[in-house]
């Protein structure tokens, strides 16, 4: 390490937090801890990924590369040469995380609830998995012995996320609050009892609540407004941040960040219904809606007789996730379908020679992409008079790297930044002959936005500084540089020199692509498939990540 290197760096992730909500409360004195940190530190906007979804964004945070290099394009991943989709997890990340490099340099790391760290991979330190963990019946910590220690120390039941009760707002509120308290207790315990150089915790509560409680101008006489309820939660979160800061050494650098921002949403665009009306997608006759069938299969999985029948008559690797894949694929008449909006968040062309029943000739691919882009950009919602689409991107123009070919052919971004909320849209991939093109976004009134927050505070930070806009992929190389660890040249991000004082400004070194990294063989298997758990699938469905 150089003389300017920092021995203690902490990341506190605030999933989905946006300055447009945070800053007015800070200015009003409602969040004293964060107000002090903004005053004493450096802060600015942090650009998320396209799409600004937690699975993609947190993986870009941890790897410092674009999705074309890490291979995560959503909570599900496409199985090549098929119409199948499976849940993605830590084993499918095709790039090393920055904490792998820290560990290889002899620095100890601690990770709590960082998305896409389940199943837990070995680290030089400790790891506690979070949102994709199906339950306490599986190993969710590294080392494994840490799991029992946590469960003995923390109140039961041990929680892994707060999305399971999203249909009931009161229960959701209680669940998010309980989960946030558990995260705080976990962080305090490990900060006190473990040895670490780098520590990260991600609070997912803001994201979970903002999907359903985003403030509006509409006052409801029967109870507190969404804004008042959210402020109550953020006041508790502000106190949690203060308690964590109280456990840190005085020479620590602390980075607060969110994976994406948030904004109001009011409308829903059923894009597969639109594709069907334009003749791009065809359903088989008498096809039932995917929503009805997938929910039915989820309920059936809880019946013991059905589980026994599944074990007898279906392949062993088939779980409810594979059944829902079949539900998605089965209603589609592939002999007549040129394009479909896939569960991994984009349009996929039914291409000859690539898909099992492809009908689009390779030479027609580019012209079809251009036509789709033009037609989608011209779509209008008759109720609002607005276009639901902010942009349509070919994958080759958005991503680069060895996994770009795995991405959907066209990434469709909805309007996220308009005001009022009725002009912002969710994209829904449900299939069904009776679906309209547009409906209300209910039960969601908040959706992800393209810019999150970055706030740096502590040792080496240039105080009273407003930062220029930075990118989520800049965080990984900045942490490596701050801790004196060589940065792989394969990282796409840059070092954020502007947030440091002259005395602590890092002098980064770089790891060439051909230079041995001493990290050993890759830990990740892009072919790893487990039976997805109903709890995880329903958790993601409740948050709108799976349709």
């Amino acid at each position: 390490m150089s003389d300017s290197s920092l021995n203690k760096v902490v990341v506190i992730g605030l999933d989905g937090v946006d300055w447009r909500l945070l800053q007015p409360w800070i200015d009003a004195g409602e969040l004293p801890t964060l107000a002090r940190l903004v005053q004493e530190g450096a802060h600015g906007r942090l650009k998320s990924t396209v799409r600004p979804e937690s699975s993609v964004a947190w993986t870009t945070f941890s790897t410092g590369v674009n999705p074309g290099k890490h291979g995560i394009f959503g909570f599900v991943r496409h199985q090549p040469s098929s119409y199948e989709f499976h849940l993605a997890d830590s084993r499918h990340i095709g790039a090393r995380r920055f904490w792998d490099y820290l560990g290889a340099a002899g620095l100890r790391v601690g990770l709590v609830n960082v998305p896409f760290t389940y199943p837990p991979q070995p680290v030089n330190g400790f790891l506690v998995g979070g949102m994709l963990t199906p339950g306490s019946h599986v190993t969710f910590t590294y080392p494994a012995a840490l799991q029992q220690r946590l469960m003995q120390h923390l109140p039961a039941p041990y929680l892994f996320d707060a999305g399971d009760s999203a249909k009931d707002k009161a229960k959701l509120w209680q669940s998010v609050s309980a989960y946030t308290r558990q995260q705080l207790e976990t962080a305090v315990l490990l900060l006190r009892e473990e040895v670490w150089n780098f520590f990260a915790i991600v609070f997912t509560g803001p994201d979970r609540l903002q999907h359903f409680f985003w403030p509006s101008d509409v006052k409801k006489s029967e109870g507190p407004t969404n804004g008042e309820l959210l402020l109550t939660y953020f006041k508790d979160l502000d106190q949690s941040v203060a308690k964590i800061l109280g456990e840190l050494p005085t020479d620590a650098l602390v980075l607060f960040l969110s994976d994406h921002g948030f904004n109001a949403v009011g409308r829903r665009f059923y894009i597969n219904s639109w594709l069907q009306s334009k003749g791009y997608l065809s359903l088989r006759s008498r096809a039932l809606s995917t929503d009805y069938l997938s929910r039915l299969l989820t309920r059936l999985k809880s019946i013991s007789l059905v589980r026994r029948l599944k074990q007898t008559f279906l392949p062993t690797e088939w779980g409810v996730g594979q059944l829902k894949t079949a539900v998605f694929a089965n209603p589609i008449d592939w002999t007549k379908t040129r394009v479909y909006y896939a569960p991994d968040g984009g349009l996929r062309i039914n291409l000859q020679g690539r898909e099992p029943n492809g009908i689009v000739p390779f030479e027609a691919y580019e012209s079809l992409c251009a036509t789709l882009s033009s037609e989608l950009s011209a779509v209008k919602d008759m109720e609002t008079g607005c276009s639901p689409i902010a942009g349509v991107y070919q994958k080759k123009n958005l991503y680069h790297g060895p996994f770009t070919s795995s991405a959907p052919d066209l990434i469709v971004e909805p309007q996220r930044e308009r005001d009022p909320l009725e002009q912002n849209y969710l994209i829904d991939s449900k299939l069904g002959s009776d679906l309209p093109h547009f409906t209300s976004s209910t039960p969601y009134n908040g959706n992800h936005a393209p810019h999150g927050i970055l706030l740096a505070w502590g040792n080496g930070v240039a105080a009273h500084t407003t930062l220029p806009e930075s990118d989520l992929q800049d965080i990984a190389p900045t942490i490596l540089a701050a801790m004196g660890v060589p940065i792989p040249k394969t990282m796409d991000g840059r070092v954020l020199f502007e947030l440091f004082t002259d005395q602590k400004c890092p002098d980064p070194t770089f790891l060439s692509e051909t230079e041995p990294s001493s990290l050993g063989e890759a830990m990740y298997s892009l072919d790893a498939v487990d039976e997805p758990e109903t709890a995880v699938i329903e958790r993601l469905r409740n948050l709108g990540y799976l349709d």
Side-chain angles (χ1 to χ4, degrees):
M1 294 187 184
S2 67
D3 292 339
S4 63
S5 299
L6 301 172
N7 189 47
K8 300 285 186 180
V9 174
V10 175
V11 167
I12 298 179
L14 305 173
D15 198 303
V17 169
D18 195 298
W19 285 120
R20 82 185 85 206
L21 193 67
L22 209 59
Q23 193 62 55
W25 289 337
I26 288 174
D27 293 342
E30 300 283 7
L31 307 175
T33 302
L34 289 172
R36 177 172 65 87
L37 301 179
V38 168
Q39 177 63 28
E40 297 176 358
H43 70 283
R45 295 206 310 172
L46 188 63
K47 184 180 179 182
S48 186
T49 48
V50 179
R51 300 173 298 139
E53 184 187 87
S54 296
S55 57
V56 189
W58 283 116
T59 306
T60 289
F61 151 78
S62 66
T63 60
V65 301
N66 81 93
K69 289 183 179 179
H70 63 58
I72 299 297
F73 301 98
F75 281 101
V76 298
R77 60 190 181 85
H78 178 244
Q79 191 70 15
S81 303
S82 78
Y83 300 113
E84 294 184 10
F85 296 84
H86 303 282
L87 281 178
D89 59 42
S90 67
R91 297 166 299 177
H92 307 121
I93 298 175
R96 298 192 183 278
R97 272 70 73 89
F98 66 79
W99 52 77
D100 296 326
Y101 295 97
L102 294 176
L107 299 173
R108 286 183 58 82
V109 304
L111 307 168
V112 177
N113 197 45
V114 178
F116 266 68
T117 52
Y118 174 82
Q121 306 293 342
V123 296
N124 184 34
F126 57 91
L127 183 157
V128 181
M131 63 183 296
L132 296 182
T133 305
S136 57
H137 62 285
V138 300
T139 300
F140 62 87
T141 69
Y142 181 88
L146 176 59
Q147 182 162 326
Q148 190 61 29
R149 185 170 139 217
L150 288 177
M151 296 186 72
Q152 289 175 347
H153 178 83
L154 298 168
Y158 191 90
L159 303 173
F160 295 96
D161 208 331
D164 303 75
S165 55
K167 295 176 184 176
D168 185 322
K169 282 191 172 184
K171 288 184 178 179
L172 174 64
W173 184 269
Q174 295 168 3
S175 180
V176 169
S177 298
Y179 188 46
T180 301
R181 287 194 298 271
Q182 176 186 286
Q183 290 176 281
L184 172 62
E185 292 178 38
T186 303
V188 170
L189 173 70
L190 296 175
L191 286 168
R192 287 177 179 177
E193 298 187 1
E194 295 290 333
V195 177
W196 57 273
N197 300 103
F198 172 82
F199 181 85
I201 180 171
V202 175
F203 288 98
T204 50
D207 178 277
R208 306 304 182 257
L209 290 178
Q210 289 172 159
H211 276 294
F212 302 94
F213 291 92
W214 188 262
S216 70
D217 294 331
V218 180
K219 296 284 185 180
K220 297 184 177 180
S221 59
E222 65 270 20
T225 64
N226 284 344
E228 291 166 343
L229 289 168
L230 267 184
L231 177 56
T232 299
Y233 172 78
F234 271 86
K235 284 182 174 180
D236 290 340
L237 187 61
D238 190 71
Q239 293 176 10
S240 296
V241 168
K243 290 175 182 177
I244 290 177
L245 293 178
E247 301 295 331
L248 302 182
T250 56
D251 62 345
L253 164 66
V254 187
L255 300 176
F256 298 83
L257 59 93
S258 58
D259 55 330
H260 52 72
F262 242 86
N263 198 15
V265 67
R267 300 286 287 167
R268 183 188 304 264
F269 177 38
Y270 288 106
I271 191 169
N272 277 324
S273 175
W274 177 84
L275 288 171
Q276 190 179 356
S277 71
K278 299 291 288 185
Y280 290 115
L281 183 151
S282 180
L283 299 184
R284 303 178 192 275
S285 60
R286 297 185 176 181
L288 295 175
S289 76
T290 53
D291 183 47
Y292 170 79
L293 286 172
S294 61
R295 291 181 189 276
L296 174 63
L297 286 170
T298 297
R299 289 196 293 270
L300 289 175
K301 178 132 192 275
S302 65
I303 303 173
S304 59
L305 174 61
V306 174
R307 290 201 303 270
R308 290 197 295 273
L309 289 172
K310 175 261 177 187
Q311 292 166 357
T312 303
F313 295 110
L314 292 176
T316 56
E317 69 272 12
W318 272 52
V320 78
Q322 282 75 13
L323 288 171
K324 288 179 181 179
T325 290
V327 165
F328 178 84
N330 187 62
I332 298 177
D333 184 346
W334 297 107
T335 66
K336 299 178 182 177
T337 292
R338 290 183 289 164
V339 187
Y340 66 105
Y341 190 88
D344 59 347
L347 293 174
R348 289 187 174 272
I349 309 297
N350 195 21
L351 195 63
Q352 287 181 0
R354 187 183 69 178
E355 272 69 28
N357 300 301
I359 64 171
V360 176
F362 178 79
E363 56 271 19
Y365 177 87
E366 291 292 340
S367 62
L368 180 56
C369 286
T371 299
L372 285 165
S373 179
S374 176
E375 292 184 353
L376 277 167
S377 299
V379 171
K380 288 287 190 296
D381 179 355
M382 298 304 294
E383 183 165 319
T384 65
C386 299
S387 167
I389 305 302
V392 183
Y393 308 93
Q394 269 194 263
K395 60 183 176 182
K396 67 180 182 181
N397 297 328
L398 199 58
Y399 309 129
H400 62 278
F403 301 107
T404 300
S405 61
S406 301
D409 296 293
L410 290 169
I411 309 299
V412 183
E413 266 293 281
Q415 297 288 354
R416 302 177 186 269
E417 294 283 67
R418 287 173 169 166
D419 187 23
L421 61 83
E422 289 81 7
Q423 297 182 12
N424 290 327
Y425 289 77
L426 299 171
I427 292 180
D428 197 313
S429 66
K430 286 189 182 68
L431 294 167
S433 300
D434 57 345
L435 288 174
H437 291 176
F438 298 97
T439 65
S440 164
S441 63
T442 303
Y444 311 106
N445 69 348
N447 192 29
H448 300 177
H451 294 90
I453 72 163
L454 175 61
L455 168 58
W457 176 84
N459 189 18
V461 173
H464 318 295
T465 300
T466 300
L467 299 170
E469 181 178 300
S470 50
D471 195 289
L472 199 55
Q473 63 190 12
D474 298 335
I475 303 300
T478 299
I479 290 172
L480 292 178
M483 302 194 78
V485 175
I487 302 167
K489 288 185 177 179
T490 52
M491 284 191 174
D492 295 321
R494 68 179 183 88
V495 177
L496 298 175
F497 296 105
E498 58 269 28
L499 67 81
F500 297 97
T501 62
D502 291 341
Q503 294 80 7
K504 287 293 182 179
C505 190
D507 183 16
T509 58
F510 293 88
L511 190 68
S512 69
E513 297 177 24
T514 58
E515 184 179 343
S517 65
S518 73
L519 290 173
E521 295 299 318
M523 298 182 294
Y524 314 106
S525 171
L526 298 181
D527 298 319
V529 177
D530 277 347
E531 177 176 336
E533 298 280 349
T534 304
V536 177
I537 293 172
E538 286 308 296
R539 202 177 295 156
L540 295 172
R541 178 188 297 282
N542 285 334
L543 292 169
Y545 296 138
L546 296 180
D547 299 314

